[in-house]
Amino acid sequence: MREILPALDDWYASGTPFGLATVVAVSRSAPRGPGAAMAVGPGDEVVGSVSGGCVEGAVFELAKEVVASGEARLHTFGYSDADAFEVGLTCGGEITLLVRPVSPATDAGFGEVAASVAAHRPVVTATVLDGPAPRGATLTVWPDRVAGTLGSTGLDAAVTDDARGELAQGATGQRHYGPHGERREDDVTVFLQSFAPPPRMLVFGAIDFAAAVARIGLFLGYRVTVCDARPVFATPKRFPEGVEVVVDWPHRYLGGTETDDRTVVCVLTHDPKFDVPLLEVALRRPAAYIGVMGSRRTHDDRLKRLRDTEMDPAELARLRSPIGLDLGARTPEEVAVSIAAEIIALRWGGSGTPLSGTAGAIHPPVLRPVSGGGAVTRRRA
């Protein structure tokens, strides 16, 4: 979608309706993932792709039909070997598309979405796929405001909450609700498409614990990088597929790497010759979380060394050490869960207390996620 938005924005600005097909679900070896898009505009101009060529001809006709009718359609394409000329995927997968008409009259917020994406401002579009809510209805969600409606105040509120959670991870996918946003029902299917890069998880120290942390980082939606100065340990075969492995001195790598207020830094080396120079860089950079492994004795020694570098108390206060929540973890996998739990709790202002020992709403509306600096989450009563 990012790639074709400039063309769509031009069509939208001209007031000319166009048909937009978006992949909203895939299974097996589908050629393109959720969020891939194709559009048919003025003069039958086509931009984008949903399958790499397998079903684009049929999608072209669907897009023209929805513009003519003004009604969105949901269509699934799968594999068929019964007829060589039948429309279908050749890879054995399956894709489901939402094909809807877009114009200022049908989607008043589309221009703002395009502008936000062009300016690298995070935004989520929520679109109804199925159920009693109007198919194709859209709600646009930014971190600080919303526009549009899915037809119900309760549904809008539930989707807004989930959209901001998805945006924090740069995730795209389907969610299910009741007609008024009920969490335990699945009458309404909504497609949430986030326009934000996935946050980064930087893991320093290529040890067994790092492999477990990298695995759970991928599961949570992070783009994971493992860095270690020792090439004998920093080898791709020791880590899950999809993890970037870098051989470099940790402080030098971090100094040349862009971070932001969603970046997670996990320092697992517990060796002062690596840790201290790295933390001097990390604690002065934007980051949501900076956690460091080590015993309490190691932690005390590390703090003394950092104070000797003239780091101020506010910088040192960002340090989460010893790393993780107190879960009684022993194995690398259990420790990875405790680290992930601390990251999630810090992001959303959770206490880490068992829910059975708390009262009130389990998921209070969050207006501003907690940052790595330990700011307090603002909540509505």
Side-chain angles (χ1 to χ4, degrees):
M1 177 69 86
R2 286 180 183 274
E3 298 165 358
I4 67 174
L5 268 175
L8 305 190
D9 194 31
D10 288 343
W11 295 346
Y12 186 85
S14 72
T16 305
F18 59 89
L20 176 62
T22 305
V23 178
V24 296
V26 302
S27 66
R28 299 187 298 277
S29 56
R32 306 216 48 196
M38 168 182 158
V40 179
D44 291 343
E45 182 181 355
V46 177
V47 294
S49 171
V50 292
S51 73
C54 298
V55 301
E56 268 70 4
V59 176
F60 174 83
E61 297 299 333
L62 279 171
K64 292 176 66 176
E65 289 173 14
V66 301
V67 169
S69 69
E71 296 182 356
R73 293 178 58 180
L74 201 63
H75 194 93
T76 297
F77 292 95
Y79 173 76
S80 174
D81 58 3
D83 184 343
F85 294 98
E86 186 174 344
V87 174
L89 302 180
T90 59
C91 59
E94 184 176 277
I95 62 172
T96 299
L97 306 176
L98 175 69
V99 190
R100 65 186 182 96
V102 178
S103 69
T106 60
D107 189 346
F110 188 88
E112 282 195 276
V113 172
S116 294
V117 174
H120 305 290
R121 293 192 298 267
V123 62
V124 182
T125 58
T127 310
V128 174
L129 302 183
D130 210 354
R135 177 175 289 164
T138 59
L139 178 73
T140 306
V141 181
W142 290 268
D144 58 349
R145 63 189 177 95
V146 299
T149 181
L150 303 182
S152 157
T153 301
L155 182 59
D156 288 348
V159 171
T160 296
D161 193 30
D162 287 346
R164 287 177 176 151
E166 297 290 271
L167 189 59
Q169 291 294 334
T172 287
Q174 294 185 18
R175 290 292 183 101
H176 304 275
Y177 308 89
H180 301 288
E182 298 89 342
R183 299 284 184 175
R184 296 173 63 86
E185 299 181 25
D186 59 1
D187 299 313
V188 181
T189 303
V190 177
F191 181 65
L192 301 177
Q193 184 168 11
S194 297
F195 292 95
R200 298 200 66 181
M201 174 181 281
L202 306 176
V203 182
F204 296 95
I207 62 176
D208 288 345
F209 289 93
V213 171
R215 189 174 298 110
I216 205 166
L218 290 175
F219 177 75
L220 292 175
Y222 287 93
R223 172 190 165 195
V224 182
T225 299
V226 175
C227 175
D228 198 304
R230 302 163 295 184
V232 67
F233 295 116
T235 60
K237 67 181 181 181
R238 299 185 66 229
F239 296 94
E241 184 179 356
V243 173
E244 178 187 27
V245 180
V246 174
V247 179
D248 200 351
W249 279 85
H251 71 282
R252 184 168 60 193
Y253 173 75
L254 183 58
T257 299
E258 183 177 351
T259 63
D260 59 28
D261 58 7
R262 299 184 302 151
T263 302
V264 165
V265 177
C266 299
V267 182
L268 310 181
T269 49
H270 49 78
D271 183 332
K273 71 174 178 288
F274 295 120
D275 292 357
V276 174
L278 171 61
L279 291 173
E280 283 188 77
V281 178
L283 293 171
R284 290 169 173 151
R285 298 285 298 274
Y289 175 89
I290 302 171
V292 192
M293 179 174 280
S295 67
R296 297 195 186 281
R297 178 181 297 179
T298 300
H299 170 69
D300 292 340
D301 177 70
R302 184 185 295 127
L303 281 181
K304 180 181 181 301
R305 292 172 184 268
L306 288 170
R307 289 190 186 102
D308 290 343
T309 67
E310 300 184 351
M311 298 202 78
D312 63 48
E315 291 169 335
L316 293 176
R318 301 180 64 201
L319 193 61
R320 315 292 293 191
S321 174
I323 196 170
L325 295 186
D326 180 14
L327 305 182
R330 294 291 187 273
T331 68
E333 291 74 19
E334 290 173 345
V335 170
V337 170
S338 79
I339 293 171
E342 185 176 39
I343 291 169
I344 294 167
L346 184 63
R347 178 192 300 146
W348 297 114
S351 66
T353 303
L355 289 172
S356 60
T358 65
I362 294 174
H363 298 293
V366 177
L367 301 183
R368 180 175 57 83
V370 173
S371 69
V376 178
T377 306
R378 288 156 41 199
R379 301 173 184 268
R380 292 201 299 267

